[in-house]
Amino acid sequence: MKEIFENFKKIKDNRNGDVITFDFDNTVVKSFLNKTVDGVENYQFGGVNKEIIKRIKSFKKSGKTVFIVTSRQKHLEDDESSVRSILDKLKIEVDAIFYTDGEPKARKLHELGSTLHYDDDPAEREAIEAHKKLHKDFKIVVKDPEDLIEDSEEIAKGVVLTSDGKIVIAQRSDSYEWDAPGGHIEQGEEAPFSFYREVKEELGLEVNEVQFLDTLETTWKGITKPSHYFIGRTDYSGEELEGVINLQWEIADYFCGDYEEVVRKASGNMTQNLQNVMNMLEMQQELIESRQPHSKNHKIKKRRIIGLGGSKTTGAKGLKRVTDFSRSKSAPPGFGVLEEESDEKSTKKIKIKIKSTVEEKKRRKKRRKASKKQKNRGIGSYYPYFDLYDGSDGDGGGE
């Protein structure tokens, strides 16, 4: 109660004076709702905006009143991941924290007398400007925190899997090549969050169950940089995507299909990053096929996907596999909310499930019956990557 009275005293003393406000999630600290392979939902730490943190500390040092105004629902906060707890861990001091419980922030900011507000949400910024036009005494400047940070050389890319097991890829608007959705990691970001953010920006999709595939060092225009690759899932089916996807100006089109259809669609017009991701999916399939008889066209299929570049193992000149997995500037997997976890943390297997036609299901049923006889030897039950190849007709979303 004492804290509440003190906060209101500061509001009264600083009405339309030196009150600076900040949104919290994805403005100060970046996070996203992710799922584990077991379906458990949790907020995953995605990094911090170091420039925003610098500004908070600078404003406080100069004597200004600094408030955090978040749309989080206060009654859902827990001790470990609450705004206050995270601020304390980051050693960020503010005068007070205000919750709008899911409501737009404009009215609260007016009440607080904020003159400058940082918020990553375009809808919130638009609502604040609209409220400002209705209230002449509301003199506020609204800024996007993303304008303060620059891209790093590292990238985070991958593919999106639909609820019915299809693969979503994107077509670049500059070269019209088929590419893996994703982009540059911004300063202070963790790679999984960068992939999540970029997919949302480029396709308008919020992916969940973001899972790390691999990291390769790639060379582009003479610059060698780490490239982190992921799989993300969406709850929409391939057929539902047409009414959901909202393409950014950098994306000309998208395609949704099974593994074989994606390879055919992008053949001869595929970026190196998409080829890398498809190679990784191919390798996941090889884990299963190594325990099963190869089909007659297995080698032809593999050669078509991997190609014959300067490197006989990756299909691309200047591409080498990373062997040192110690944390880089923006480490992708295995790091907790605010502290690094042990490097000895065990690696979980990724579940990749691409659904197929009735005929293919029948063939799988026969294989499963045969595999039951080998179950005691661990074959058929250890690897959860069900067939990546699919003979069904895909959804040509965006064509």
Side-chain angles (χ1 to χ4, degrees), residues 282-291 349 383 385:
E282 162 76 1
M283 283 184 272
Q284 299 290 351
Q285 177 67 13
E286 284 182 346
L287 290 175
I288 303 174
E289 291 187 345
S290 65
R291 290 158 175 76
K349 297 296 179 183
Y383 292 98
Y385 321 98

Side-chain angles (χ1 to χ4, degrees), residues 32-72:
F32 64 104
L33 189 62
N34 199 15
K35 290 181 181 179
T36 66
V37 292
D38 300 320
V40 178
E41 292 185 341
N42 55 46
Y43 277 96
Q44 181 166 334
F45 176 68
V48 298
N49 188 322
K50 295 180 180 179
E51 293 302 318
I52 283 292
I53 294 176
K54 287 180 183 177
R55 277 164 171 71
I56 291 176
K57 293 182 176 180
S58 177
F59 286 137
K60 278 294 296 175
K61 188 175 181 179
S62 66
K64 290 179 171 57
T65 301
V66 178
F67 294 140
I68 295 291
V69 180
T70 175
S71 58
R72 284 191 183 191

Side-chain angles (χ1 to χ4, degrees), residues 117-134:
H117 179 69
Y118 290 87
D119 204 305
D120 74 292
D121 190 344
E124 288 281 9
R125 297 197 300 269
E126 186 177 325
I128 293 167
E129 292 294 345
H131 189 84
K132 180 180 175 180
K133 292 178 180 179
L134 296 175

Side-chain angles (χ1 to χ4, degrees), residues 214-338:
D214 203 352
T215 294
L216 299 177
E217 284 189 352
T218 58
T219 301
W220 174 250
K221 295 183 177 180
I223 300 175
T224 300
K225 58 190 175 183
S227 300
H228 312 291
Y229 298 102
F230 299 87
I231 287 177
R233 298 178 188 271
T234 176
D235 293 330
Y236 295 103
S237 68
E239 293 182 352
E240 294 171 326
L241 288 181
E242 188 173 352
V244 176
I245 282 186
N246 182 20
L247 299 179
Q248 186 192 43
W249 64 271
E250 294 179 315
I251 305 300
D253 205 349
Y254 78 95
F255 179 77
C256 179
D258 61 45
Y259 188 96
E260 291 283 3
E261 290 166 340
V262 168
V263 171
R264 287 197 298 268
K265 182 71 175 179
S267 178
N269 191 31
M270 183 187 303
T271 66
Q272 185 60 61
N273 285 311
L274 179 56
Q275 184 173 333
N276 289 346
V277 175
M278 299 306 286
N279 287 345
M280 290 171 190
L281 295 183
E282 162 76 1
M283 283 184 272
Q284 299 290 351
Q285 177 67 13
E286 284 182 346
L287 290 175
I288 303 174
E289 291 187 345
S290 65
R291 290 158 175 76
Q292 298 173 347
H294 288 168
S295 60
K296 292 181 180 179
N297 64 343
H298 173 77
K299 291 184 179 180
I300 298 174
K301 189 183 297 179
K302 180 177 178 180
R303 175 171 295 201
R304 185 175 69 243
I305 295 167
I306 295 183
L308 293 175
S311 167
K312 295 298 180 65
T313 57
T314 63
K317 184 177 181 181
L319 188 66
K320 66 177 183 178
R321 183 167 300 283
V322 173
T323 56
D324 179 12
F325 288 95
S326 60
R327 186 175 186 178
S328 61
K329 181 170 57 178
S330 297
F335 292 91
V337 171
L338 292 172

